[in-house]
Amino acid sequence: MEKVNMDSLVTILAEVEKMGFRSQFEINGRNLVSLKTGSHFVPEEITIVHFYRFEGESNPDDSAIMYAIETCDQEKGTLVDGYGTAADPETAAFMLKVKDVHK
């Protein structure tokens, strides 16, 4: 991957999309759900290929984290959540259960 400025969520989303991460995911209960296919996945069925943290310039509550995820059926996509105090508790709890994490 070519070096890019990593300070913008929009920039990173565009870069990972070029790498094939084109689906978007959300956490719904105990599952990661693909907004593209409707497929549901448990933590053991996903790999966090990479993750990126972003800090708000003027407000720490603007912090975010973006996960580049690949599922057991090779669907690739992203999940964006708040970070730190801004994190969604359900999403944070789910992501803590994922054991296959790369950086």
Side-chain angles (χ1 to χ4, degrees):
M1 182 172 141
E2 208 175 295
K3 280 249 188 218
V4 295
N5 186 351
M6 298 295 195
D7 61 355
S8 164
L9 179 57
V10 173
T11 301
I12 296 304
L13 284 169
E15 286 299 312
V16 297
E17 187 172 294
K18 290 178 190 174
M19 297 173 4
F21 294 87
R22 293 188 177 91
S23 295
Q24 286 82 43
F25 296 108
E26 70 178 8
I27 302 300
N28 188 338
R30 293 186 222 170
N31 295 294
L32 177 80
V33 180
S34 168
L35 300 178
K36 184 176 184 179
T37 65
S39 299
H40 290 235
F41 304 95
V42 295
E44 297 80 19
E45 296 176 318
I46 71 168
T47 298
I48 299 172
V49 178
H50 212 341
F51 60 91
Y52 306 85
R53 291 187 189 130
F54 305 90
E55 294 184 18
E57 286 186 34
S58 60
N59 184 348
D61 289 338
D62 291 339
S63 298
I65 187 165
M66 191 275 300
Y67 300 96
I69 296 170
E70 185 169 355
T71 67
C72 59
D73 63 1
Q74 282 72 52
E75 184 175 358
K76 292 172 140 185
T78 57
L79 171 70
V80 178
D81 188 25
Y83 188 73
T85 59
D88 173 63
E90 188 175 76
T91 299
F94 179 93
M95 297 311 280
L96 284 173
K97 293 177 185 172
V98 177
K99 302 295 182 214
D100 197 357
V101 179
H102 303 265
K103 175 69 176 151

PDB file of all heavy atoms in Angstrom, residues 87-100:
ATOM      1  N   ALA A  87     -17.275   5.725  22.426  1.00  0.00           N
ATOM      2  CA  ALA A  87     -17.546   4.393  21.874  1.00  0.00           C
ATOM      3  C   ALA A  87     -18.952   3.920  22.212  1.00  0.00           C
ATOM      4  O   ALA A  87     -19.467   4.176  23.301  1.00  0.00           O
ATOM      5  CB  ALA A  87     -16.529   3.394  22.414  1.00  0.00           C
ATOM      6  N   ASP A  88     -19.556   3.211  21.267  1.00  0.00           N
ATOM      7  CA  ASP A  88     -20.838   2.556  21.513  1.00  0.00           C
ATOM      8  C   ASP A  88     -20.549   1.313  22.356  1.00  0.00           C
ATOM      9  O   ASP A  88     -19.752   0.465  21.941  1.00  0.00           O
ATOM     10  CB  ASP A  88     -21.480   2.161  20.178  1.00  0.00           C
ATOM     11  CG  ASP A  88     -22.719   1.325  20.385  1.00  0.00           C
ATOM     12  OD1 ASP A  88     -23.694   1.832  20.976  1.00  0.00           O
ATOM     13  OD2 ASP A  88     -22.710   0.138  19.956  1.00  0.00           O
ATOM     14  N   PRO A  89     -21.173   1.161  23.526  1.00  0.00           N
ATOM     15  CA  PRO A  89     -20.859   0.026  24.402  1.00  0.00           C
ATOM     16  C   PRO A  89     -21.087  -1.343  23.740  1.00  0.00           C
ATOM     17  O   PRO A  89     -20.298  -2.264  23.939  1.00  0.00           O
ATOM     18  CB  PRO A  89     -21.798   0.213  25.594  1.00  0.00           C
ATOM     19  CG  PRO A  89     -22.185   1.648  25.570  1.00  0.00           C
ATOM     20  CD  PRO A  89     -22.127   2.083  24.134  1.00  0.00           C
ATOM     21  N   GLU A  90     -22.127  -1.479  22.951  1.00  0.00           N
ATOM     22  CA  GLU A  90     -22.421  -2.750  22.282  1.00  0.00           C
ATOM     23  C   GLU A  90     -21.335  -3.099  21.255  1.00  0.00           C
ATOM     24  O   GLU A  90     -20.875  -4.236  21.178  1.00  0.00           O
ATOM     25  CB  GLU A  90     -23.791  -2.660  21.600  1.00  0.00           C
ATOM     26  CG  GLU A  90     -24.301  -3.958  21.031  1.00  0.00           C
ATOM     27  CD  GLU A  90     -25.708  -3.805  20.491  1.00  0.00           C
ATOM     28  OE1 GLU A  90     -25.873  -3.216  19.398  1.00  0.00           O
ATOM     29  OE2 GLU A  90     -26.639  -4.277  21.153  1.00  0.00           O
ATOM     30  N   THR A  91     -20.923  -2.097  20.485  1.00  0.00           N
ATOM     31  CA  THR A  91     -19.872  -2.315  19.489  1.00  0.00           C
ATOM     32  C   THR A  91     -18.545  -2.625  20.168  1.00  0.00           C
ATOM     33  O   THR A  91     -17.834  -3.559  19.782  1.00  0.00           O
ATOM     34  CB  THR A  91     -19.733  -1.081  18.572  1.00  0.00           C
ATOM     35  OG1 THR A  91     -20.976  -0.879  17.899  1.00  0.00           O
ATOM     36  CG2 THR A  91     -18.631  -1.266  17.550  1.00  0.00           C
ATOM     37  N   ALA A  92     -18.201  -1.870  21.205  1.00  0.00           N
ATOM     38  CA  ALA A  92     -16.944  -2.097  21.923  1.00  0.00           C
ATOM     39  C   ALA A  92     -16.909  -3.498  22.525  1.00  0.00           C
ATOM     40  O   ALA A  92     -15.894  -4.198  22.423  1.00  0.00           O
ATOM     41  CB  ALA A  92     -16.763  -1.033  23.004  1.00  0.00           C
ATOM     42  N   ALA A  93     -18.003  -3.946  23.120  1.00  0.00           N
ATOM     43  CA  ALA A  93     -18.057  -5.285  23.725  1.00  0.00           C
ATOM     44  C   ALA A  93     -17.879  -6.368  22.665  1.00  0.00           C
ATOM     45  O   ALA A  93     -17.164  -7.350  22.879  1.00  0.00           O
ATOM     46  CB  ALA A  93     -19.382  -5.472  24.460  1.00  0.00           C
ATOM     47  N   PHE A  94     -18.518  -6.196  21.507  1.00  0.00           N
ATOM     48  CA  PHE A  94     -18.382  -7.170  20.423  1.00  0.00           C
ATOM     49  C   PHE A  94     -16.939  -7.231  19.944  1.00  0.00           C
ATOM     50  O   PHE A  94     -16.347  -8.313  19.810  1.00  0.00           O
ATOM     51  CB  PHE A  94     -19.303  -6.819  19.256  1.00  0.00           C
ATOM     52  CG  PHE A  94     -19.192  -7.783  18.102  1.00  0.00           C
ATOM     53  CD1 PHE A  94     -20.051  -8.866  18.018  1.00  0.00           C
ATOM     54  CD2 PHE A  94     -18.243  -7.616  17.109  1.00  0.00           C
ATOM     55  CE1 PHE A  94     -19.956  -9.773  16.966  1.00  0.00           C
ATOM     56  CE2 PHE A  94     -18.128  -8.514  16.051  1.00  0.00           C
ATOM     57  CZ  PHE A  94     -18.996  -9.591  15.983  1.00  0.00           C
ATOM     58  N   MET A  95     -16.339  -6.082  19.685  1.00  0.00           N
ATOM     59  CA  MET A  95     -14.993  -6.048  19.120  1.00  0.00           C
ATOM     60  C   MET A  95     -13.956  -6.612  20.095  1.00  0.00           C
ATOM     61  O   MET A  95     -12.963  -7.187  19.665  1.00  0.00           O
ATOM     62  CB  MET A  95     -14.635  -4.632  18.689  1.00  0.00           C
ATOM     63  CG  MET A  95     -15.542  -4.084  17.579  1.00  0.00           C
ATOM     64  SD  MET A  95     -15.776  -5.189  16.170  1.00  0.00           S
ATOM     65  CE  MET A  95     -14.261  -4.900  15.282  1.00  0.00           C
ATOM     66  N   LEU A  96     -14.174  -6.501  21.379  1.00  0.00           N
ATOM     67  CA  LEU A  96     -13.267  -7.093  22.364  1.00  0.00           C
ATOM     68  C   LEU A  96     -13.262  -8.616  22.274  1.00  0.00           C
ATOM     69  O   LEU A  96     -12.286  -9.264  22.677  1.00  0.00           O
ATOM     70  CB  LEU A  96     -13.633  -6.654  23.787  1.00  0.00           C
ATOM     71  CG  LEU A  96     -13.227  -5.234  24.156  1.00  0.00           C
ATOM     72  CD1 LEU A  96     -13.803  -4.857  25.517  1.00  0.00           C
ATOM     73  CD2 LEU A  96     -11.708  -5.091  24.162  1.00  0.00           C
ATOM     74  N   LYS A  97     -14.321  -9.209  21.760  1.00  0.00           N
ATOM     75  CA  LYS A  97     -14.421 -10.668  21.648  1.00  0.00           C
ATOM     76  C   LYS A  97     -13.715 -11.205  20.399  1.00  0.00           C
ATOM     77  O   LYS A  97     -13.513 -12.407  20.283  1.00  0.00           O
ATOM     78  CB  LYS A  97     -15.887 -11.083  21.616  1.00  0.00           C
ATOM     79  CG  LYS A  97     -16.599 -10.813  22.930  1.00  0.00           C
ATOM     80  CD  LYS A  97     -18.059 -11.170  22.831  1.00  0.00           C
ATOM     81  CE  LYS A  97     -18.779 -10.773  24.105  1.00  0.00           C
ATOM     82  NZ  LYS A  97     -20.243 -10.927  23.975  1.00  0.00           N
ATOM     83  N   VAL A  98     -13.357 -10.320  19.477  1.00  0.00           N
ATOM     84  CA  VAL A  98     -12.669 -10.764  18.254  1.00  0.00           C
ATOM     85  C   VAL A  98     -11.223 -11.098  18.607  1.00  0.00           C
ATOM     86  O   VAL A  98     -10.501 -10.261  19.146  1.00  0.00           O
ATOM     87  CB  VAL A  98     -12.726  -9.674  17.155  1.00  0.00           C
ATOM     88  CG1 VAL A  98     -11.938 -10.115  15.919  1.00  0.00           C
ATOM     89  CG2 VAL A  98     -14.168  -9.355  16.795  1.00  0.00           C
ATOM     90  N   LYS A  99     -10.822 -12.319  18.327  1.00  0.00           N
ATOM     91  CA  LYS A  99      -9.467 -12.779  18.675  1.00  0.00           C
ATOM     92  C   LYS A  99      -8.465 -12.609  17.539  1.00  0.00           C
ATOM     93  O   LYS A  99      -7.275 -12.502  17.774  1.00  0.00           O
ATOM     94  CB  LYS A  99      -9.498 -14.255  19.087  1.00  0.00           C
ATOM     95  CG  LYS A  99     -10.414 -14.533  20.249  1.00  0.00           C
ATOM     96  CD  LYS A  99      -9.946 -13.872  21.510  1.00  0.00           C
ATOM     97  CE  LYS A  99     -10.853 -14.203  22.677  1.00  0.00           C
ATOM     98  NZ  LYS A  99     -10.993 -13.145  23.610  1.00  0.00           N
ATOM     99  N   ASP A 100      -8.942 -12.586  16.288  1.00  0.00           N
ATOM    100  CA  ASP A 100      -8.050 -12.508  15.124  1.00  0.00           C
ATOM    101  C   ASP A 100      -7.900 -11.045  14.710  1.00  0.00           C
ATOM    102  O   ASP A 100      -8.652 -10.532  13.888  1.00  0.00           O
ATOM    103  CB  ASP A 100      -8.614 -13.344  13.994  1.00  0.00           C
ATOM    104  CG  ASP A 100      -7.585 -13.653  12.908  1.00  0.00           C
ATOM    105  OD1 ASP A 100      -6.440 -13.171  13.015  1.00  0.00           O
ATOM    106  OD2 ASP A 100      -7.942 -14.364  11.951  1.00  0.00           O
TER     107      ASP A 100
END
